[in-house]
Amino acid sequence: MTTITALATPPGVSGIAVVRLSGDNAIEIADNCFKSKSKLSELPSHSVAYGKFYDTQQLIDNVLITIFRKPNSYTGEDVIEISCHGGYLVAGEIISTLLKHGARPAEPGEFTKRAFLNGKIDLTQVEAVADIIHSSSVKGVHTSARQLAGEFTTRLKELRNRLVEIAGLLELELDFADEDIELLDRNLIKTRIENTQKYCKELAESYKSAEILRSGFFVGIAGYPNAGKSKLFNTLLQRNRAIVSEIPGTTRDYLEENIMLGGIIIRLIDTAGIRDSKDVIEIEGIKMVESILKQSNMILVLNDISISENHSDKLYHEIKEKYPHSNIQLIQNKIDLIEIQERKPTSIYISAKMGDGIEELKSVIEQTAKLNTERLQDVLVNQRQANLLTQASIDLENAINSLQSGLSNEVIAIDIRNSAQKLGEITGESWSEEVLNTVFGKFCIGK
Ligand SMILES: Nc1nc2c(ncn2[C@@H]2O[C@H](COP(=O)(O)OP(=O)(O)O)[C@@H](O)[C@H]2O)c(=O)[nH]1
Ligand SMILES: [Mg+2]
């Protein structure tokens, strides 16, 4: 394989930076630029050498080089990691020197892709690497770490083997069709398929929970102009981020900021007030509200109770109808302005301005976010995996139906084999260039 190189640490100012080099000539290329007591080619794997890194005659930096010999490295190839001083320039100079000596720049995810192609990790582990890099919750990181340890793959492989075994036995029975032999108890087959189907389906459904741990829990604040959406947004953030004003139609696009509640990132979004407007920019903002609410896990419909407690009922019901998969919460704001006779249990009463009820609101958001991650299994299923799991579960449902209606073994076995194929695509036991492109498309350079 050609030798590739890239910065493995984030660009910018830092104490140290690490440049990675992987491929057939990694050690030779590094030796050509490095002066130390002994040559890297003479050192054993997993050793560290201190020395000077040169671009021909020009000293670039004093560096530490770690050497990993194949196959005991991240990529499974010879790997050199050069730790140099941080900052923008040094690592850049080191990389251009390596390029001059025959390396080429790595594409995003190429190190990890090589690790996959060399059998160092499977696809679920590859995806876990991407998840750890991008995760926005502590639990997300822990779950990804477990996935990286290969538990998920081991389980999928077991299931797949079991399915292939059942399909095999069903097919074998066909050879003995004349003798009317039953190699497997029908009920036992049925239970096994049902269990696997259930597992696939539950895992597929855990995707939404996994998404929340990966990207955060989206909470959109909606309501008519002047309800106090921006004020509430600021109060929840504990700083003045959005413009608050008594002039209706002030928030024209949308603002997004994160807060952390109960270990989950909450992505708060303040939107433009919903009303009929003639202002072109305001109309654009109102159009945007729809796409924001569509991706929100929870929508807070804010009502100005000083106008009337029922003032936003129409809007509330419209939103409930339009976004049935979201958690919609009606909130009565500006309770500092009026005397409240009776509190309805379905509403939360707050004063965004004075801070009343804010703790209660926060705890409702936290509880809702937690409820939404309850379906989480011990793996972080992503979209690609969820699609495959759903397909596998449908194949198995078909197999169960065929079994129940007494169809021939051949038909049942085909469905079972199809589902096994899908499980194989999850781990990468069966893969195509297209699958790899989807998986590695998410990576950054240097990983
Ligand atoms: N008395 C009172 N006024 C509020 C409260 N929340 C917001 N306001 C006022 O209502 C007006 C509109 O607030 P704003 O947050 O800009 O509303 P938005 O259009 O929904 O974003 C501003 O003058 C705020 O100061 C509240 O809880 N009590
Ligand atoms: Mg506003």
Side-chain angles (χ1 to χ4, degrees):
M1 278 291 208
T2 50
T3 303
I4 52 174
T5 183
L7 184 65
T9 42
V13 179
S14 61
I16 61 166
V18 176
V19 174
R20 208 185 240 167
L21 189 64
S22 175
D24 291 343
N25 300 325
I27 299 174
E28 189 191 323
I29 292 174
D31 253 338
N32 286 337
C33 321
F34 184 62
K35 289 206 176 68
S36 176
K37 266 196 288 197
S38 44
K39 288 194 98 42
L40 295 166
S41 56
E42 286 153 13
L43 292 176
S45 186
H46 293 73
S47 49
V48 180
Y50 175 75
K52 292 183 179 346
F53 192 96
Y54 285 94
D55 179 1
T56 28
Q57 303 303 325
Q58 178 65 48
L59 174 67
I60 295 180
D61 197 8
N62 294 325
V63 300
L64 273 184
I65 288 189
T66 319
I67 168 170
F68 304 87
R69 290 181 180 276
K70 71 178 173 197
N72 298 318
S73 70
Y74 182 66
T75 56
E77 307 173 326
D78 284 341
V79 169
I80 292 288
E81 284 181 4
I82 305 169
S83 306
C84 57
H85 286 99
Y88 290 94
L89 297 176
V90 179
E93 296 247 325
I94 288 181
I95 289 173
S96 38
T97 310
L98 295 171
L99 295 180
K100 270 190 235 165
H101 282 86
R104 75 160 168 77
E107 288 159 20
E110 198 172 2
F111 291 102
T112 311
K113 189 171 183 177
R114 289 186 175 197
F116 168 73
L117 292 173
N118 287 325
K120 299 295 288 186
I121 55 177
D122 67 62
L123 276 195
T124 65
Q125 292 171 310
V126 169
E127 290 174 315
V129 171
D131 280 344
I132 286 185
I133 302 173
H134 295 121
S135 206
S136 38
S137 70
V138 178
K139 199 167 168 192
V141 169
H142 291 167
T143 317
S144 300
R146 271 213 303 275
Q147 187 165 326
L148 193 54
E151 278 177 33
F152 184 33
T153 300
T154 313
R155 197 139 18 114
L156 285 178
K157 280 189 178 155
E158 263 168 36
L159 289 179
R160 185 165 179 251
N161 289 342
R162 219 195 283 170
L163 290 174
V164 171
E165 186 190 295
I166 296 176
L169 286 171
L170 284 167
E171 285 156 355
L172 193 64
E173 248 180 37
L174 287 172
D175 296 341
F176 296 93
D178 300 338
E179 287 137 71
D180 208 15
I181 292 179
E182 215 179 70
L183 292 176
L184 267 174
D185 176 13
R186 296 279 125 166
N187 279 328
L188 189 69
I189 299 186
K190 191 163 156 268
T191 331
R192 283 202 182 164
I193 301 177
E194 273 171 355
N195 287 343
T196 313
Q197 189 266 339
K198 204 168 140 241
Y199 178 73
C200 291
K201 192 162 176 235
E202 279 171 5
L203 265 186
E205 282 169 357
S206 73
Y207 163 64
K208 225 177 141 186
S209 303
E211 254 324 277
I212 292 170
L213 289 194
R214 233 193 303 269
S215 325
F217 186 71
F218 283 80
V219 178
I221 308 177
Y224 294 128
N226 262 355
K229 298 179 294 299
S230 297
K231 183 78 199 159
L232 174 61
F233 182 74
N234 288 345
T235 304
L236 287 170
L237 288 181
Q238 298 181 309
R239 64 195 169 92
N240 288 333
R241 172 72 177 82
I243 299 172
V244 172
S245 137
E246 70 286 350
I247 305 165
T250 309
T251 309
R252 280 143 171 267
D253 53 3
Y254 67 91
L255 295 171
E256 186 188 324
E257 290 291 334
N258 297 339
I259 56 172
M260 187 81 142
L261 290 178
I264 302 173
I265 298 255
I266 309 291
R267 296 176 68 162
L268 267 188
I269 309 165
D270 178 25
T271 66
I274 297 165
R275 67 164 174 179
D276 286 329
S277 168
K278 295 212 163 43
D279 183 302
V280 201
I281 296 173
E282 196 186 347
I283 292 171
E284 279 306 308
I286 296 171
K287 277 192 202 149
M288 235 182 258
V289 177
E290 195 148 318
S291 68
I292 289 162
L293 297 188
K294 209 155 80 192
Q295 54 161 318
S296 295
N297 302 103
M298 184 178 191
I299 300 170
L300 310 179
V301 181
L302 203 59
N303 179 54
D304 182 345
I305 199 172
S306 71
I307 300 176
S308 130
E309 183 150 11
N310 306 322
H311 180 60
S312 307
D313 282 6
K314 185 164 158 273
L315 180 67
Y316 172 72
H317 289 295
E318 271 169 18
I319 287 182
K320 264 208 127 148
E321 210 160 90
K322 225 168 174 180
Y323 311 100
H325 299 296
S326 188
N327 304 269
I328 322 275
Q329 175 66 56
L330 185 61
I331 296 172
Q332 301 293 346
N333 187 31
K334 310 198 188 179
I335 56 168
D336 53 297
L337 293 180
I338 56 154
E339 285 277 323
I340 301 169
Q341 306 301 338
E342 195 190 339
R343 293 189 174 213
K344 292 196 185 122
T346 46
S347 295
I348 298 174
Y349 295 77
I350 64 162
S351 165
K353 191 170 175 180
M354 312 306 287
D356 305 276
I358 296 299
E359 283 313 309
E360 188 199 339
L361 173 59
K362 272 188 182 165
S363 99
V364 170
I365 297 174
E366 181 179 332
Q367 291 314 317
T368 314
K370 285 204 169 135
L371 268 178
N372 274 268
T373 53
E374 233 174 27
R375 303 192 90 139
L376 191 78
Q377 308 278 325
D378 48 6
V379 280
L380 277 195
V381 170
N382 62 29
Q383 177 110 55
R384 183 188 78 88
Q385 298 164 341
N387 288 342
L388 287 166
L389 285 163
T390 307
Q391 289 168 22
S393 143
I394 293 171
D395 288 333
L396 291 175
E397 252 171 58
N398 289 338
I400 296 168
N401 288 337
S402 308
L403 196 69
Q404 271 167 342
S405 26
L407 289 183
S408 85
N409 281 8
E410 238 170 331
V411 179
I412 310 169
I414 287 176
D415 282 329
I416 298 180
R417 287 206 183 274
N418 281 343
S419 72
Q421 161 82 17
K422 312 272 163 45
L423 297 187
E425 276 182 44
I426 296 179
T427 57
E429 278 171 281
S430 34
W431 57 272
S432 63
E433 203 47 50
E434 190 191 342
V435 170
L436 291 196
N437 288 343
T438 336
V439 171
F440 289 99
K442 293 188 293 191
F443 272 83
C444 41
I445 292 173
K447 247 299 166 190

